[in-house]
Amino acid sequence: MTKQYPQTRAILRLEPSGKFIDLLKDDPSIEHVMVTLSKAERVLENYGGFNNILQPHHKLTIVGTEPDATVTNRGRWQEIDLYAEFEREARIIPDWLWVYHRMEPDQQLENVEKYLSRFEWLYKRAEEMGLPHEITPLAKGVSIDHFEESKETFDRLGIDRFAMYGVQTPSHYDFCERIEQASAVLNPDGVLTIGRGSPRQVGMMPEIVDETAGWHWKRYCGLTSDGYSQYKLAMWIYKIKRALHAERTNEQSRISDFIQETEVAING
């Protein structure tokens, strides 16, 4: 079921409503968007599905990283039934519990095991139901032991990509070290990072990272209800891709490789 998404993706995390929907209609530079599972459910309720708010070329990732109370109250059958309602093919990254540094080691390991068990259940149910979605795991854990716990499950399911959530990691250095540890154990083809998405931070990440998602773009392009700078958004996408590709491999890329040749208007 896992598929190799095109590499070096700059993914926009957003709310599927209001000014964000206007942005999706009007800006051809946007390739890939990310929303939470709860917001995806609202798209079904309020808009009748993602095909009514996304353009044909848009890729979609739906992620379960939400407030703890939200994820822990979501049952597995409720979750898989929700996957089946999405009419648009998506990559789905489940989440429903946490592994924090401040937890006791036994509780950390227990939560890693619980995550793996439920992820495998969702993955296999999605296959049995013939769902078109790509079900991608988070690499849960704060130590090499935790990633070693994941290896057998990932290998058995043929997982070749995973995501890592960096919003609650104490420092960017710690997050990069955690990516290195997980990658050394799990040997993925590529890693998606969620959070810590400025071009500078992305440029510091291990080379195995080939996709990144976050909210940094919104501030960079000045998005408000009154508009935004389309040029600055295109530049942010370019800078992220350059950080993921050219700057870390010493390869030279032209800005035209990443920005479509369209007339750009600056609003606000």
Side-chain angles (χ1 to χ4, degrees):
M1 180 180 289
T2 56
K3 289 179 273 188
Q4 183 69 38
Y5 265 62
Q7 290 187 334
T8 60
R9 288 227 179 246
I11 303 173
L12 277 61
R13 289 199 74 175
L14 53 78
E15 300 283 340
S17 61
K19 60 189 175 185
F20 297 101
I21 291 182
D22 293 337
L23 181 80
L24 293 171
K25 292 178 182 177
D26 298 336
D27 199 314
S29 66
I30 299 170
E31 301 171 340
H32 198 142
V33 299
M34 174 182 286
V35 301
T36 65
L37 190 58
S38 293
K39 298 299 183 182
E41 188 172 15
R42 292 187 186 178
V43 170
L44 295 175
E45 296 170 353
N46 298 335
Y47 299 97
F50 280 98
N51 286 337
N52 294 324
I53 65 170
L54 297 181
Q55 300 303 307
H57 70 279
H58 287 147
K59 299 291 185 181
L60 172 65
T61 292
I62 300 171
V63 64
T65 51
E66 302 184 67
D68 294 345
T70 299
V71 298
T72 55
N73 289 331
R74 184 182 293 130
R76 63 176 63 189
W77 280 108
Q78 176 190 4
E79 184 164 353
I80 197 67
D81 287 345
L82 187 56
Y83 294 0
E85 292 188 55
F86 298 135
E87 85 293 357
R88 190 184 186 98
E89 183 176 346
R91 171 173 53 185
I92 301 176
I93 304 172
D95 196 16
W96 52 87
L97 47 70
W98 54 90
V99 181
Y100 293 144
H101 282 83
R102 64 176 181 267
M103 294 166 58
E104 292 296 324
D106 289 348
Q107 187 180 3
Q108 290 175 341
L109 183 58
E110 180 182 358
N111 279 7
V112 171
E113 292 171 344
K114 286 180 177 179
Y115 180 86
L116 293 169
S117 175
R118 179 155 161 169
F119 174 82
E120 183 169 2
W121 187 91
L122 288 167
Y123 187 96
K124 289 182 175 180
R125 294 296 84 71
E127 283 193 328
E128 291 170 0
M129 295 166 68
L131 301 184
H133 311 306
E134 175 184 347
I135 314 300
T136 298
L138 288 161
K140 285 278 186 179
V142 295
S143 70
I144 288 178
D145 290 346
H146 297 151
F147 304 127
E148 289 177 342
E149 186 69 24
S150 301
K151 182 172 174 55
E152 193 274 334
T153 299
F154 281 24
D155 287 348
R156 185 173 63 256
L157 297 178
I159 300 297
D160 55 15
R161 299 182 64 81
F162 58 77
M164 298 198 74
Y165 186 67
V167 174
Q168 295 169 318
T169 304
S171 74
H172 190 61
Y173 174 83
D174 289 343
F175 185 47
C176 290
E177 185 176 45
R178 194 154 57 89
I179 297 169
E180 291 277 18
Q181 290 176 337
S183 300
V185 173
L186 298 170
N187 192 31
D189 291 342
V191 173
L192 161 66
T193 61
I194 304 171
R196 300 188 179 276
S198 73
R200 183 186 64 83
Q201 290 176 324
V202 172
M204 297 168 60
M205 292 177 181
E207 289 189 5
I208 194 66
V209 175
D210 57 11
E211 297 180 281
T212 190
W215 283 96
H216 185 270
W217 66 273
K218 180 175 177 287
R219 182 175 69 254
Y220 189 90
C221 73
L223 179 66
T224 68
S225 58
D226 296 324
Y228 73 106
S229 168
Q230 190 179 34
Y231 172 75
K232 287 185 176 180
L233 178 58
M235 282 300 301
W236 177 85
I237 292 171
Y238 162 68
K239 288 181 178 181
I240 291 294
K241 289 189 172 186
R242 186 181 65 182
L244 286 169
H245 183 65
E247 289 184 348
R248 298 186 305 165
T249 60
N250 295 321
E251 296 178 18
Q252 298 299 316
S253 299
R254 296 174 292 108
I255 191 169
S256 58
D257 292 338
F258 300 123
I259 300 178
Q260 299 181 22
E261 294 183 2
T262 57
E263 185 174 299
V264 176
I266 299 177
N267 304 310

PDB file of all heavy atoms in Angstrom, residues 9 11 14 22 37 60 64 66 70 82 112 123 137 164 176 195 220 260:
ATOM      1  N   ARG A   9       9.060  17.824  -1.082  1.00  0.00           N
ATOM      2  CA  ARG A   9       7.762  18.483  -1.038  1.00  0.00           C
ATOM      3  C   ARG A   9       7.718  19.501   0.092  1.00  0.00           C
ATOM      4  O   ARG A   9       8.099  19.208   1.230  1.00  0.00           O
ATOM      5  CB  ARG A   9       6.650  17.460  -0.847  1.00  0.00           C
ATOM      6  CG  ARG A   9       6.398  16.622  -2.092  1.00  0.00           C
ATOM      7  CD  ARG A   9       4.916  16.558  -2.368  1.00  0.00           C
ATOM      8  NE  ARG A   9       4.633  15.784  -3.559  1.00  0.00           N
ATOM      9  CZ  ARG A   9       4.120  16.309  -4.671  1.00  0.00           C
ATOM     10  NH1 ARG A   9       3.874  17.590  -4.749  1.00  0.00           N
ATOM     11  NH2 ARG A   9       3.867  15.551  -5.715  1.00  0.00           N
ATOM     12  N   ILE A  11       4.988  21.189   2.113  1.00  0.00           N
ATOM     13  CA  ILE A  11       3.571  20.940   2.361  1.00  0.00           C
ATOM     14  C   ILE A  11       2.999  22.033   3.263  1.00  0.00           C
ATOM     15  O   ILE A  11       3.581  22.354   4.304  1.00  0.00           O
ATOM     16  CB  ILE A  11       3.381  19.552   3.015  1.00  0.00           C
ATOM     17  CG1 ILE A  11       3.982  18.461   2.117  1.00  0.00           C
ATOM     18  CG2 ILE A  11       1.905  19.281   3.275  1.00  0.00           C
ATOM     19  CD1 ILE A  11       4.007  17.095   2.745  1.00  0.00           C
ATOM     20  N   LEU A  14      -2.847  23.703   6.895  1.00  0.00           N
ATOM     21  CA  LEU A  14      -3.846  24.762   6.838  1.00  0.00           C
ATOM     22  C   LEU A  14      -5.173  24.304   7.417  1.00  0.00           C
ATOM     23  O   LEU A  14      -5.389  23.120   7.680  1.00  0.00           O
ATOM     24  CB  LEU A  14      -4.021  25.263   5.405  1.00  0.00           C
ATOM     25  CG  LEU A  14      -4.304  24.246   4.289  1.00  0.00           C
ATOM     26  CD1 LEU A  14      -5.752  23.782   4.282  1.00  0.00           C
ATOM     27  CD2 LEU A  14      -3.950  24.844   2.931  1.00  0.00           C
ATOM     28  N   ASP A  22      -9.926  30.062  -0.272  1.00  0.00           N
ATOM     29  CA  ASP A  22      -9.675  31.048  -1.327  1.00  0.00           C
ATOM     30  C   ASP A  22      -8.257  30.895  -1.862  1.00  0.00           C
ATOM     31  O   ASP A  22      -8.022  30.985  -3.069  1.00  0.00           O
ATOM     32  CB  ASP A  22      -9.879  32.464  -0.799  1.00  0.00           C
ATOM     33  CG  ASP A  22     -11.334  32.756  -0.440  1.00  0.00           C
ATOM     34  OD1 ASP A  22     -12.222  32.062  -0.984  1.00  0.00           O
ATOM     35  OD2 ASP A  22     -11.574  33.663   0.379  1.00  0.00           O
ATOM     36  N   LEU A  37      -7.151  15.251  11.057  1.00  0.00           N
ATOM     37  CA  LEU A  37      -8.262  14.330  10.838  1.00  0.00           C
ATOM     38  C   LEU A  37      -9.595  14.963  11.231  1.00  0.00           C
ATOM     39  O   LEU A  37     -10.609  14.782  10.549  1.00  0.00           O
ATOM     40  CB  LEU A  37      -8.020  13.037  11.618  1.00  0.00           C
ATOM     41  CG  LEU A  37      -8.965  11.872  11.331  1.00  0.00           C
ATOM     42  CD1 LEU A  37      -8.928  11.487   9.860  1.00  0.00           C
ATOM     43  CD2 LEU A  37      -8.598  10.667  12.196  1.00  0.00           C
ATOM     44  N   LEU A  60      -2.896  15.500  -1.015  1.00  0.00           N
ATOM     45  CA  LEU A  60      -3.511  15.688   0.297  1.00  0.00           C
ATOM     46  C   LEU A  60      -2.913  14.739   1.316  1.00  0.00           C
ATOM     47  O   LEU A  60      -2.818  13.532   1.079  1.00  0.00           O
ATOM     48  CB  LEU A  60      -5.022  15.448   0.195  1.00  0.00           C
ATOM     49  CG  LEU A  60      -5.817  15.425   1.507  1.00  0.00           C
ATOM     50  CD1 LEU A  60      -5.783  16.788   2.189  1.00  0.00           C
ATOM     51  CD2 LEU A  60      -7.257  14.985   1.253  1.00  0.00           C
ATOM     52  N   GLY A  64      -3.157  12.813  12.110  1.00  0.00           N
ATOM     53  CA  GLY A  64      -3.884  12.666  13.370  1.00  0.00           C
ATOM     54  C   GLY A  64      -3.269  13.391  14.543  1.00  0.00           C
ATOM     55  O   GLY A  64      -3.759  13.261  15.660  1.00  0.00           O
ATOM     56  N   GLU A  66      -3.150  15.880  16.918  1.00  0.00           N
ATOM     57  CA  GLU A  66      -4.081  16.881  17.423  1.00  0.00           C
ATOM     58  C   GLU A  66      -3.965  16.910  18.947  1.00  0.00           C
ATOM     59  O   GLU A  66      -3.203  16.128  19.531  1.00  0.00           O
ATOM     60  CB  GLU A  66      -5.504  16.531  16.984  1.00  0.00           C
ATOM     61  CG  GLU A  66      -5.673  16.429  15.469  1.00  0.00           C
ATOM     62  CD  GLU A  66      -7.120  16.183  15.080  1.00  0.00           C
ATOM     63  OE1 GLU A  66      -7.945  17.094  15.302  1.00  0.00           O
ATOM     64  OE2 GLU A  66      -7.418  15.098  14.550  1.00  0.00           O
ATOM     65  N   THR A  70      -8.382  15.003  22.036  1.00  0.00           N
ATOM     66  CA  THR A  70      -9.050  14.663  20.782  1.00  0.00           C
ATOM     67  C   THR A  70      -8.643  13.286  20.300  1.00  0.00           C
ATOM     68  O   THR A  70      -9.484  12.452  19.938  1.00  0.00           O
ATOM     69  CB  THR A  70      -8.709  15.708  19.702  1.00  0.00           C
ATOM     70  OG1 THR A  70      -9.162  16.992  20.134  1.00  0.00           O
ATOM     71  CG2 THR A  70      -9.376  15.351  18.377  1.00  0.00           C
ATOM     72  N   LEU A  82     -14.087   6.632   9.043  1.00  0.00           N
ATOM     73  CA  LEU A  82     -13.863   7.975   8.517  1.00  0.00           C
ATOM     74  C   LEU A  82     -12.956   7.930   7.289  1.00  0.00           C
ATOM     75  O   LEU A  82     -13.209   8.626   6.292  1.00  0.00           O
ATOM     76  CB  LEU A  82     -13.255   8.854   9.609  1.00  0.00           C
ATOM     77  CG  LEU A  82     -13.096  10.342   9.301  1.00  0.00           C
ATOM     78  CD1 LEU A  82     -14.425  10.971   8.898  1.00  0.00           C
ATOM     79  CD2 LEU A  82     -12.515  11.068  10.524  1.00  0.00           C
ATOM     80  N   VAL A 112       4.589   3.285  22.826  1.00  0.00           N
ATOM     81  CA  VAL A 112       5.136   2.914  21.514  1.00  0.00           C
ATOM     82  C   VAL A 112       4.480   1.621  21.035  1.00  0.00           C
ATOM     83  O   VAL A 112       4.058   1.508  19.875  1.00  0.00           O
ATOM     84  CB  VAL A 112       6.663   2.767  21.570  1.00  0.00           C
ATOM     85  CG1 VAL A 112       7.200   2.156  20.271  1.00  0.00           C
ATOM     86  CG2 VAL A 112       7.336   4.110  21.823  1.00  0.00           C
ATOM     87  N   TYR A 123      -3.823  -0.199   9.257  1.00  0.00           N
ATOM     88  CA  TYR A 123      -3.171  -0.477   7.974  1.00  0.00           C
ATOM     89  C   TYR A 123      -3.804  -1.696   7.306  1.00  0.00           C
ATOM     90  O   TYR A 123      -4.144  -1.671   6.117  1.00  0.00           O
ATOM     91  CB  TYR A 123      -1.685  -0.698   8.230  1.00  0.00           C
ATOM     92  CG  TYR A 123      -0.830  -0.830   6.993  1.00  0.00           C
ATOM     93  CD1 TYR A 123      -0.140   0.267   6.480  1.00  0.00           C
ATOM     94  CD2 TYR A 123      -0.691  -2.047   6.338  1.00  0.00           C
ATOM     95  CE1 TYR A 123       0.650   0.153   5.354  1.00  0.00           C
ATOM     96  CE2 TYR A 123       0.097  -2.170   5.206  1.00  0.00           C
ATOM     97  CZ  TYR A 123       0.766  -1.070   4.720  1.00  0.00           C
ATOM     98  OH  TYR A 123       1.549  -1.196   3.594  1.00  0.00           O
ATOM     99  N   PRO A 137       3.005   5.645   8.953  1.00  0.00           N
ATOM    100  CA  PRO A 137       3.142   5.773  10.404  1.00  0.00           C
ATOM    101  C   PRO A 137       3.986   6.963  10.835  1.00  0.00           C
ATOM    102  O   PRO A 137       4.796   7.490  10.064  1.00  0.00           O
ATOM    103  CB  PRO A 137       3.864   4.476  10.785  1.00  0.00           C
ATOM    104  CG  PRO A 137       4.747   4.220   9.595  1.00  0.00           C
ATOM    105  CD  PRO A 137       3.943   4.660   8.389  1.00  0.00           C
ATOM    106  N   MET A 164       7.730  12.223  11.241  1.00  0.00           N
ATOM    107  CA  MET A 164       8.153  12.548  12.603  1.00  0.00           C
ATOM    108  C   MET A 164       7.594  13.917  12.962  1.00  0.00           C
ATOM    109  O   MET A 164       7.652  14.854  12.162  1.00  0.00           O
ATOM    110  CB  MET A 164       9.669  12.514  12.738  1.00  0.00           C
ATOM    111  CG  MET A 164      10.250  11.143  12.460  1.00  0.00           C
ATOM    112  SD  MET A 164      11.931  10.908  13.101  1.00  0.00           S
ATOM    113  CE  MET A 164      11.617  10.749  14.870  1.00  0.00           C
ATOM    114  N   CYS A 176      16.468  16.894  15.304  1.00  0.00           N
ATOM    115  CA  CYS A 176      17.347  16.359  14.253  1.00  0.00           C
ATOM    116  C   CYS A 176      18.033  15.072  14.729  1.00  0.00           C
ATOM    117  O   CYS A 176      18.178  14.118  13.947  1.00  0.00           O
ATOM    118  CB  CYS A 176      18.391  17.398  13.860  1.00  0.00           C
ATOM    119  SG  CYS A 176      17.712  18.822  12.972  1.00  0.00           S
ATOM    120  N   GLY A 195       6.122  20.202  11.541  1.00  0.00           N
ATOM    121  CA  GLY A 195       6.558  21.216  12.482  1.00  0.00           C
ATOM    122  C   GLY A 195       8.015  21.590  12.244  1.00  0.00           C
ATOM    123  O   GLY A 195       8.736  20.944  11.489  1.00  0.00           O
ATOM    124  N   TYR A 220       5.100  33.906   6.760  1.00  0.00           N
ATOM    125  CA  TYR A 220       6.068  34.370   5.769  1.00  0.00           C
ATOM    126  C   TYR A 220       5.389  35.163   4.655  1.00  0.00           C
ATOM    127  O   TYR A 220       5.897  36.193   4.207  1.00  0.00           O
ATOM    128  CB  TYR A 220       6.823  33.170   5.174  1.00  0.00           C
ATOM    129  CG  TYR A 220       7.991  33.542   4.295  1.00  0.00           C
ATOM    130  CD1 TYR A 220       9.267  33.697   4.830  1.00  0.00           C
ATOM    131  CD2 TYR A 220       7.821  33.755   2.931  1.00  0.00           C
ATOM    132  CE1 TYR A 220      10.347  34.039   4.038  1.00  0.00           C
ATOM    133  CE2 TYR A 220       8.893  34.110   2.120  1.00  0.00           C
ATOM    134  CZ  TYR A 220      10.145  34.245   2.677  1.00  0.00           C
ATOM    135  OH  TYR A 220      11.213  34.590   1.883  1.00  0.00           O
ATOM    136  N   GLN A 260       6.350  27.994 -10.877  1.00  0.00           N
ATOM    137  CA  GLN A 260       5.781  28.026 -12.217  1.00  0.00           C
ATOM    138  C   GLN A 260       5.898  29.429 -12.800  1.00  0.00           C
ATOM    139  O   GLN A 260       5.844  30.423 -12.085  1.00  0.00           O
ATOM    140  CB  GLN A 260       4.313  27.603 -12.184  1.00  0.00           C
ATOM    141  CG  GLN A 260       4.114  26.183 -11.676  1.00  0.00           C
ATOM    142  CD  GLN A 260       2.653  25.811 -11.691  1.00  0.00           C
ATOM    143  OE1 GLN A 260       1.863  26.404 -12.407  1.00  0.00           O
ATOM    144  NE2 GLN A 260       2.292  24.827 -10.901  1.00  0.00           N
TER     145      GLN A 260
END
